[in-house]
């Protein structure tokens, strides 16, 4: 849960008229506009500050929203009265407060509140001296969150989901549960606009329909209010959640129904017994059984990992947790204590759940889960199935996993992603497919998208937001400095962690 004492914020890149990103350089904390792609140095956190004075909140859209810009070096952007731009302040001074003004084409300007001058420039000549706004002082916002997330409608206080049966998006879920609630926010670099992909690979059009291809009808300009997003189509109409389906609506100004909060999407998994093929089912107040033959809401758990202890807990859609209860049975509980934390012990695509004292979760013949002290055997092995990533987008510190142009080779430092569809085999292996070809390894261990038949990969969760991948050669995937993606690490600790 976000810290409510902190101001709302959004990480983003700022693109100028010359198609270059504003960059914070470590050498003397210089500010330049030379970045051709969005990397860490090009990411700025917009911190939205409270408006001042009576009625100021209602005037924020006209007068501009007050923001601080924090670089990846944890320094604040600032400008002095002479137009000199710096980024060396560890805490924001008077010159670090800017007014974010928005324009119908989705671009923004940044006016220093102290000097009333506008930020602009190109290459190494970034200044804050212009008294009026030209194209040289306008910036496009490239949101820097991971593209996969959840969208909460502010007016309805409900989450957006894709209704495959009717072919529409709806804002009708109290919880973002299952694959249909994951929305991929796509940034079109050429148009500098955004599209919304469903997990099924379709795009939301302005009329509320779902379309297969990017088009002017599926692209929207971005508008911000605090940490919230509104999306406007080419006719100036805003996507809204006020009606039965999500589509654009004509309004002079966006209201609560037109604003969405973009939230990160945690892993949701199902636990299936390896031998019997039954899914673990969680019903409040009852012992836990692995007796379900298919996956519904009660068979999906949000996987929460402690980044310090590396232990995991499983939270159900009702808010309860899997925990150790009386008589060593596994039960559903609303108490979040040490009894809900398990260590995940991976064996290829299989996993065992172990407590701190070494006991492990097993199943009785009737499917009931309990703790046993014996050494793990087949009856204690589960398949941990990632169910809310039908489109998998992998991102490391080097960039996204995507195809190198003109080849079938996947690299790990691409500026834009190629989403892979994720399918799970009957025995729990992951099959990845991109550009209608399956992932595979070549003779040197490089990851390719070149086969008509799947190869068996497996994934392991290593933190609250990252996973690692194990390849068919029993090695883990690594992204090298030049972007080479290959299966060369001998253990998970040496592998590259990917945000997903």
């Amino acid at each position: 849960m976000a810290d409510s004492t902190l101001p709302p914020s959004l990480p983003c890149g700022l693109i100028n008229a010359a198609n270059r990103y504003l960059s914070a350089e470590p050498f003397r904390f210089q500010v330049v506009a030379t970045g051709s792609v969005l990397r860490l140095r090009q990411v700025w956190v917009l911190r939205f500050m409270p408006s001042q004075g009576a009625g100021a909140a209602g005037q924020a859209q006209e007068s501009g929203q007050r923001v601080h810009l924090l670089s990846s070096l944890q320094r604040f952007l600032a400008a002095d009265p002479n137009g000199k731009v710096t980024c060396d302040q560890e805490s924001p001074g008077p010159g670090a407060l800017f007014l974010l003004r928005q324009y119908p084409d989705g671009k923004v300007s940044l006016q220093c509140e102290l000097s009333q001058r506008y930020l602009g420039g190109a290459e190494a000549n970034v200044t804050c001296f212009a008294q009026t706004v030209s194209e040289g002082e306008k910036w496009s916002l490239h949101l820097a969150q991971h593209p996969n997330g959840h969208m909460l409608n502010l007016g309805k206080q409900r989450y957006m989901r894709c209704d495959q049966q009717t072919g529409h998006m709806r804002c009708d879920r109290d919880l973002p549960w299952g694959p249909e609630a994951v929305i991929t926010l796509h940034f079109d670099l050429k148009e500098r606009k955004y599209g919304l992909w469903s997990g099924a690979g379709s795009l939301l059009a302005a009329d509320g329909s779902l379309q297969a291809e990017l088009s002017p009808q599926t692209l929207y300009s971005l508008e911000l209010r605090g940490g919230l997003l509104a999306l406007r189509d080419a006719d100036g109409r805003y996507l809204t959640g006020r009606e039965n389906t999500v589509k654009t609506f004509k309004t002079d100004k966006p209201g609560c129904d037109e604003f969405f909060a973009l939230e990160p999407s945690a892993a949701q998994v199902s636990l299936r017994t390896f031998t019997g093929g039954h899914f673990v089912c969680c019903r409040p107040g009852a012992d836990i059984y692995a007796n379900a033959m298919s996956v519904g809401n009660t068979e999906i758990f949000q996987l929460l990992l402690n980044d310090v202890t590396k232990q995991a807990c499983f939270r159900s859609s009702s808010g309860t947790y899997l925990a150790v209860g009386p008589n060593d049975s596994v039960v559903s509980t609303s108490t979040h204590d040490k009894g809900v934390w398990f260590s995940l012990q991976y064996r290829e695509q299989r996993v065992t759940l172990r407590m701190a004292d070494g006991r492990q979760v097993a199943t009785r013949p009737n499917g009931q889960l309990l703790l046993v002290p014996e050494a793990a055997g087949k009856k204690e092995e589960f398949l941990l199935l990632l169910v809310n990533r039908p489109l998998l987008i992998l991102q490391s510190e080097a960039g996204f996993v995507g195809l190198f142009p003109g080849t079938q080779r996947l690299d790990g430092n691409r500026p834009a992603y190629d989403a892979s569809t994720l399918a799970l085999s009957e025995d729990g292996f992951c099959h990845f497919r991109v550009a209608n070809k399956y992932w595979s390894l070549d003779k040197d261990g490089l990851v390719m998208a070149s086969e008509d038949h799947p190869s068996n990969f497996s994934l392991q969760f290593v933190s609250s937001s990252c996973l690692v991948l194990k390849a068919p050669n029993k090695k883990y995937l690594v992204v090298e400095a030049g972007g080479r993606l290959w299966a060369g690490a001998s253990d998970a600790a040496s592998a590259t962690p990917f945000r997903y």
Side-chain angles (χ1 to χ4, degrees), residues 126 245 333:
V126 175
T245 61
T333 179

Side-chain angles (χ1 to χ4, degrees), residues 17 154 185 190 235 239 340 440 460 487:
L154 186 64
L185 191 65
K190 180 180 178 182
D235 296 323
L239 276 182
V340 305
S440 61
Q460 299 179 12

Side-chain angles (χ1 to χ4, degrees), residues 28 42 44 56 61 71 89 110 127 174 181 196 246 283 288 307-308 325 327 331 347 349 354 356 378 390 411 440 479:
R28 295 182 179 178
Q42 287 74 45
W44 301 83
Q61 292 300 103
S71 77
Q89 298 181 13
L110 290 161
T127 64
D174 293 331
L196 299 180
V246 179
R283 295 184 176 91
I288 301 299
D307 289 337
V308 177
N327 303 318
V331 299
R347 301 180 178 184
Q349 83 282 23
R354 180 177 296 175
K378 286 185 178 181
D411 280 357
S440 61
V479 178

Side-chain angles (χ1 to χ4, degrees), residues 144-149 183-186 262 393 395 400 417 499:
Q145 292 109 318
H146 190 278
N148 282 334
I183 307 297
T184 301
L185 191 65
H186 169 77
L262 184 63
I393 297 171
Q395 182 184 27
F400 289 103
Y417 61 83
R499 295 171 61 205

